[in-house]
Amino acid sequence: MAATARGERAMMMKASKAAESASDPIEKLRQQCLSRGANGIKGLGRAFRNMDDDGNRQLDYKEFKKGLHDYGVHLEDEEEYKDAFARFDLNHDGTLDFDEFLKNLRPKMSKNRVRLVRQAFDKVDKNSDGHLTVEDLRGVYNVKHHKKYVSGELTEDQILQHFLDSFDTPGDADGCVTWEEFLNYYIGVSVSIDTDAYFDLMMRQAWKL
């Protein structure tokens, strides 16, 4: 599974540099989120959910700007914030559906890569219930050579849970990972990998596909 961690680190470094050089406001937001890790865009979603007091999953311009600020991602000036908001306000009613906003903020991923990610998810999801748990990971992810297992610092279950949490929604981990969360993680990792051949190799080595 180390290939996954290496892929994420490379993605974070690449995104950090891209955020500094980007001129498009939406690309700036996307790269700033990805510089926080593969789950960076999902983390922004959590910041928006925390502001959604009435539960309507809508954001007006003021909430949009405050949510970005609270999460620590910033644009150059008021004009860029307004431009980004207007481009996501598809029906021009002055509000954003933040699920759609987050979906459009994610980088695109090729069908071949999505297929590989699906293969990995289905392999781990032993009971086909659409959720990955520690029990699903047992026997798939070998902890025997993990240094904290060898030292006795952590149990097998603790290491498996820690690994599972890396795919879960930041700050809102519930102990199981859905297909959407798993895919979101790899959409982030995919950004740093230029060729489908290397992504294919990474996934097959990481998950023994």
Side-chain angles (χ1 to χ4, degrees):
M1 306 298 175
T4 300
R6 285 198 300 272
E8 182 170 16
R9 285 195 297 271
M11 179 272 297
M12 290 169 69
M13 291 174 61
K14 187 173 181 178
S16 183
K17 290 179 181 177
E20 292 176 6
S21 60
S23 57
D24 179 73
I26 292 173
E27 191 61 22
K28 285 181 184 178
L29 293 178
R30 179 179 292 128
Q31 297 300 338
Q32 285 182 69
C33 286
L34 291 173
S35 71
R36 291 166 169 248
N39 279 320
I41 290 175
K42 289 221 67 161
L44 177 59
R46 181 172 180 268
F48 284 153
R49 277 198 301 277
N50 289 342
M51 296 172 55
D52 187 28
D53 295 331
D54 58 7
N56 70 353
R57 306 183 80 80
Q58 300 285 319
L59 296 168
D60 61 23
Y61 176 70
K62 185 177 178 181
E63 291 170 327
F64 169 75
K65 191 174 176 183
K66 184 177 187 302
L68 294 176
H69 181 269
D70 288 353
Y71 190 56
V73 295
H74 306 283
L75 293 175
E76 196 72 28
D77 52 34
E78 192 71 15
E79 184 179 345
E80 287 198 351
Y81 282 104
K82 287 181 177 178
D83 177 46
F85 185 86
R87 286 161 63 187
F88 283 118
D89 181 13
L90 301 179
N91 61 356
H92 310 295
D93 67 350
T95 62
L96 301 181
D97 176 301
F98 66 68
D99 289 319
E100 280 300 311
F101 164 70
L102 295 171
K103 182 178 178 181
N104 288 319
L105 194 60
R106 292 179 203 147
K108 302 299 181 230
M109 193 181 196
S110 73
K111 288 181 181 179
N112 283 340
R113 295 189 186 196
V114 173
R115 179 179 53 79
L116 281 164
V117 176
R118 184 82 232 189
Q119 283 180 21
F121 184 89
D122 289 344
K123 178 179 179 177
V124 182
D125 185 19
K126 296 173 186 172
N127 60 2
S128 302
D129 66 351
H131 295 83
L132 304 186
T133 63
V134 165
E135 199 55 45
D136 287 320
L137 277 178
R138 209 184 307 279
V140 178
Y141 181 39
N142 188 346
V143 307
K144 303 303 182 187
H145 301 294
H146 193 290
K147 61 183 180 182
K148 291 190 176 181
Y149 179 80
V150 174
S151 71
E153 186 178 340
L154 295 177
T155 66
E156 180 182 19
D157 278 8
Q158 287 172 323
I159 292 169
L160 291 176
Q161 189 61 60
H162 181 71
F163 179 72
L164 200 65
D165 286 347
S166 66
F167 297 93
D168 216 338
T169 301
D172 197 24
D174 58 5
C176 67
V177 174
T178 65
W179 159 243
E180 183 186 5
E181 288 171 330
F182 194 75
L183 177 62
N184 280 339
Y185 178 87
Y186 277 108
I187 286 174
V189 171
S190 175
V191 174
S192 69
I193 299 174
D194 294 328
T195 68
D196 283 351
Y198 182 73
F199 187 85
D200 185 294
L201 178 66
M202 181 198 75
M203 291 299 295
R204 292 187 189 283
Q205 287 182 338
W207 296 102
K208 305 293 188 287
L209 298 178

Short mmCIF file of all heavy atoms in Angstrom, two decimals, residues 124 126 131-141 143 155-165 175-177:
data_model
loop_
_atom_site.label_atom_id
_atom_site.label_comp_id
_atom_site.label_asym_id
_atom_site.label_seq_id
_atom_site.Cartn_x
_atom_site.Cartn_y
_atom_site.Cartn_z
N VAL A 124 -11.71 -5.51 -1.90
CA VAL A 124 -11.67 -5.34 -0.44
C VAL A 124 -13.07 -5.52 0.17
O VAL A 124 -13.21 -6.04 1.27
CB VAL A 124 -11.10 -3.96 -0.06
CG1 VAL A 124 -11.01 -3.80 1.45
CG2 VAL A 124 -9.72 -3.78 -0.68
N LYS A 126 -15.53 -7.41 0.82
CA LYS A 126 -15.76 -8.86 0.76
C LYS A 126 -17.24 -9.23 0.78
O LYS A 126 -17.65 -10.18 0.12
CB LYS A 126 -15.03 -9.54 1.93
CG LYS A 126 -13.52 -9.42 1.87
CD LYS A 126 -12.89 -9.97 3.13
CE LYS A 126 -11.39 -9.72 3.15
NZ LYS A 126 -10.80 -10.09 4.46
N HIS A 131 -19.44 -0.79 1.66
CA HIS A 131 -18.66 -0.10 2.68
C HIS A 131 -17.42 -0.92 3.02
O HIS A 131 -17.49 -2.15 3.12
CB HIS A 131 -19.49 0.11 3.96
CG HIS A 131 -20.65 1.01 3.80
ND1 HIS A 131 -21.86 0.56 3.30
CD2 HIS A 131 -20.80 2.34 4.05
CE1 HIS A 131 -22.70 1.58 3.26
NE2 HIS A 131 -22.10 2.66 3.70
N LEU A 132 -16.30 -0.24 3.19
CA LEU A 132 -15.08 -0.92 3.61
C LEU A 132 -14.88 -0.72 5.10
O LEU A 132 -14.99 0.40 5.61
CB LEU A 132 -13.86 -0.36 2.86
CG LEU A 132 -13.92 -0.39 1.33
CD1 LEU A 132 -12.58 0.07 0.75
CD2 LEU A 132 -14.30 -1.75 0.80
N THR A 133 -14.59 -1.81 5.80
CA THR A 133 -14.38 -1.78 7.25
C THR A 133 -13.05 -2.46 7.57
O THR A 133 -12.40 -3.05 6.69
CB THR A 133 -15.50 -2.52 7.99
OG1 THR A 133 -15.47 -3.90 7.59
CG2 THR A 133 -16.87 -1.93 7.65
N VAL A 134 -12.67 -2.40 8.83
CA VAL A 134 -11.46 -3.08 9.28
C VAL A 134 -11.55 -4.57 8.96
O VAL A 134 -10.57 -5.19 8.53
CB VAL A 134 -11.25 -2.86 10.80
CG1 VAL A 134 -10.24 -3.84 11.36
CG2 VAL A 134 -10.77 -1.43 11.07
N GLU A 135 -12.72 -5.14 9.14
CA GLU A 135 -12.90 -6.57 8.86
C GLU A 135 -12.65 -6.89 7.39
O GLU A 135 -12.07 -7.93 7.06
CB GLU A 135 -14.31 -7.00 9.27
CG GLU A 135 -14.48 -8.51 9.45
CD GLU A 135 -13.49 -9.09 10.45
OE1 GLU A 135 -13.28 -8.51 11.54
OE2 GLU A 135 -12.90 -10.16 10.12
N ASP A 136 -13.07 -5.99 6.50
CA ASP A 136 -12.82 -6.17 5.06
C ASP A 136 -11.33 -6.15 4.75
O ASP A 136 -10.85 -6.88 3.89
CB ASP A 136 -13.52 -5.07 4.25
CG ASP A 136 -15.03 -5.24 4.19
OD1 ASP A 136 -15.50 -6.38 4.05
OD2 ASP A 136 -15.74 -4.23 4.28
N LEU A 137 -10.59 -5.26 5.45
CA LEU A 137 -9.16 -5.10 5.18
C LEU A 137 -8.32 -6.27 5.68
O LEU A 137 -7.25 -6.54 5.15
CB LEU A 137 -8.63 -3.83 5.85
CG LEU A 137 -8.83 -2.50 5.12
CD1 LEU A 137 -8.28 -1.37 5.97
CD2 LEU A 137 -8.14 -2.52 3.77
N ARG A 138 -8.84 -6.98 6.69
CA ARG A 138 -8.08 -8.07 7.27
C ARG A 138 -7.80 -9.14 6.20
O ARG A 138 -8.71 -9.61 5.52
CB ARG A 138 -8.86 -8.68 8.43
CG ARG A 138 -7.99 -9.29 9.51
CD ARG A 138 -8.83 -9.97 10.58
NE ARG A 138 -9.85 -9.11 11.13
CZ ARG A 138 -9.65 -8.19 12.08
NH1 ARG A 138 -8.44 -8.02 12.56
NH2 ARG A 138 -10.64 -7.46 12.54
N GLY A 139 -6.55 -9.49 6.03
CA GLY A 139 -6.18 -10.47 5.03
C GLY A 139 -5.84 -9.86 3.67
O GLY A 139 -5.28 -10.52 2.81
N VAL A 140 -6.21 -8.58 3.49
CA VAL A 140 -5.88 -7.88 2.25
C VAL A 140 -4.67 -6.98 2.48
O VAL A 140 -3.76 -6.90 1.66
CB VAL A 140 -7.08 -7.03 1.75
CG1 VAL A 140 -6.71 -6.25 0.49
CG2 VAL A 140 -8.27 -7.93 1.47
N TYR A 141 -4.67 -6.31 3.63
CA TYR A 141 -3.57 -5.42 4.00
C TYR A 141 -2.78 -6.10 5.11
O TYR A 141 -3.26 -6.25 6.23
CB TYR A 141 -4.13 -4.07 4.45
CG TYR A 141 -3.09 -3.03 4.83
CD1 TYR A 141 -1.91 -2.90 4.13
CD2 TYR A 141 -3.32 -2.18 5.90
CE1 TYR A 141 -0.97 -1.94 4.47
CE2 TYR A 141 -2.38 -1.20 6.26
CZ TYR A 141 -1.22 -1.10 5.55
OH TYR A 141 -0.29 -0.14 5.89
N VAL A 143 -0.22 -6.37 7.97
CA VAL A 143 0.43 -5.45 8.91
C VAL A 143 1.68 -6.07 9.55
O VAL A 143 2.35 -5.41 10.35
CB VAL A 143 -0.54 -5.01 10.03
CG1 VAL A 143 -1.82 -4.47 9.45
CG2 VAL A 143 -0.84 -6.16 11.00
N THR A 155 -1.87 -2.46 17.73
CA THR A 155 -2.42 -3.77 17.38
C THR A 155 -2.74 -3.80 15.89
O THR A 155 -2.76 -2.76 15.21
CB THR A 155 -3.72 -4.05 18.16
OG1 THR A 155 -4.73 -3.12 17.73
CG2 THR A 155 -3.50 -3.92 19.66
N GLU A 156 -3.04 -4.98 15.37
CA GLU A 156 -3.42 -5.11 13.97
C GLU A 156 -4.65 -4.26 13.66
O GLU A 156 -4.68 -3.53 12.66
CB GLU A 156 -3.71 -6.57 13.62
CG GLU A 156 -4.12 -6.76 12.15
CD GLU A 156 -4.46 -8.21 11.81
OE1 GLU A 156 -4.73 -8.99 12.75
OE2 GLU A 156 -4.48 -8.54 10.62
N ASP A 157 -5.66 -4.33 14.54
CA ASP A 157 -6.90 -3.56 14.31
C ASP A 157 -6.64 -2.06 14.28
O ASP A 157 -7.23 -1.33 13.48
CB ASP A 157 -7.94 -3.88 15.38
CG ASP A 157 -8.70 -5.17 15.08
OD1 ASP A 157 -8.31 -5.87 14.12
OD2 ASP A 157 -9.68 -5.47 15.79
N GLN A 158 -5.76 -1.58 15.16
CA GLN A 158 -5.45 -0.14 15.21
C GLN A 158 -4.77 0.31 13.92
O GLN A 158 -5.07 1.38 13.38
CB GLN A 158 -4.57 0.17 16.42
CG GLN A 158 -5.31 0.12 17.74
CD GLN A 158 -4.36 0.25 18.93
OE1 GLN A 158 -3.24 -0.27 18.92
NE2 GLN A 158 -4.81 0.95 19.96
N ILE A 159 -3.86 -0.51 13.41
CA ILE A 159 -3.16 -0.16 12.16
C ILE A 159 -4.13 -0.19 10.99
O ILE A 159 -4.11 0.71 10.14
CB ILE A 159 -1.98 -1.13 11.92
CG1 ILE A 159 -0.89 -0.89 12.98
CG2 ILE A 159 -1.39 -0.94 10.52
CD1 ILE A 159 0.18 -1.96 13.01
N LEU A 160 -4.98 -1.19 10.95
CA LEU A 160 -5.97 -1.28 9.86
C LEU A 160 -6.92 -0.09 9.90
O LEU A 160 -7.27 0.47 8.86
CB LEU A 160 -6.75 -2.60 9.97
CG LEU A 160 -5.97 -3.88 9.68
CD1 LEU A 160 -6.84 -5.11 9.92
CD2 LEU A 160 -5.43 -3.90 8.26
N GLN A 161 -7.34 0.30 11.11
CA GLN A 161 -8.25 1.45 11.22
C GLN A 161 -7.57 2.74 10.79
O GLN A 161 -8.18 3.58 10.10
CB GLN A 161 -8.75 1.59 12.66
CG GLN A 161 -9.88 2.63 12.82
CD GLN A 161 -11.10 2.27 12.01
OE1 GLN A 161 -11.70 1.23 12.20
NE2 GLN A 161 -11.47 3.14 11.07
N HIS A 162 -6.32 2.90 11.16
CA HIS A 162 -5.57 4.09 10.77
C HIS A 162 -5.45 4.16 9.24
O HIS A 162 -5.62 5.22 8.64
CB HIS A 162 -4.17 4.06 11.40
CG HIS A 162 -3.33 5.25 11.07
ND1 HIS A 162 -3.58 6.50 11.57
CD2 HIS A 162 -2.24 5.38 10.25
CE1 HIS A 162 -2.69 7.36 11.09
NE2 HIS A 162 -1.87 6.71 10.27
N PHE A 163 -5.18 3.01 8.63
CA PHE A 163 -5.08 2.96 7.17
C PHE A 163 -6.43 3.31 6.54
O PHE A 163 -6.52 4.09 5.59
CB PHE A 163 -4.62 1.58 6.72
CG PHE A 163 -4.51 1.44 5.22
CD1 PHE A 163 -3.51 2.07 4.51
CD2 PHE A 163 -5.44 0.67 4.53
CE1 PHE A 163 -3.42 1.95 3.13
CE2 PHE A 163 -5.35 0.54 3.15
CZ PHE A 163 -4.35 1.18 2.45
N LEU A 164 -7.51 2.75 7.09
CA LEU A 164 -8.85 3.01 6.56
C LEU A 164 -9.22 4.48 6.69
O LEU A 164 -9.83 5.07 5.78
CB LEU A 164 -9.86 2.14 7.33
CG LEU A 164 -11.21 1.87 6.68
CD1 LEU A 164 -11.04 1.05 5.42
CD2 LEU A 164 -12.12 1.13 7.66
N ASP A 165 -8.81 5.09 7.80
CA ASP A 165 -9.14 6.50 8.03
C ASP A 165 -8.54 7.43 6.98
O ASP A 165 -9.04 8.53 6.75
CB ASP A 165 -8.66 6.94 9.43
CG ASP A 165 -9.52 6.38 10.54
OD1 ASP A 165 -10.62 5.87 10.25
OD2 ASP A 165 -9.08 6.44 11.71
N GLY A 175 -15.43 5.28 10.57
CA GLY A 175 -14.99 3.90 10.72
C GLY A 175 -15.24 3.02 9.51
O GLY A 175 -14.84 1.86 9.49
N CYS A 176 -15.94 3.55 8.52
CA CYS A 176 -16.12 2.79 7.29
C CYS A 176 -16.01 3.73 6.10
O CYS A 176 -16.21 4.95 6.23
CB CYS A 176 -17.44 2.04 7.27
SG CYS A 176 -18.91 3.08 7.20
N VAL A 177 -15.64 3.19 4.96
CA VAL A 177 -15.37 4.00 3.77
C VAL A 177 -16.31 3.59 2.65
O VAL A 177 -16.40 2.40 2.32
CB VAL A 177 -13.90 3.83 3.33
CG1 VAL A 177 -13.64 4.55 2.01
CG2 VAL A 177 -12.96 4.36 4.41
#
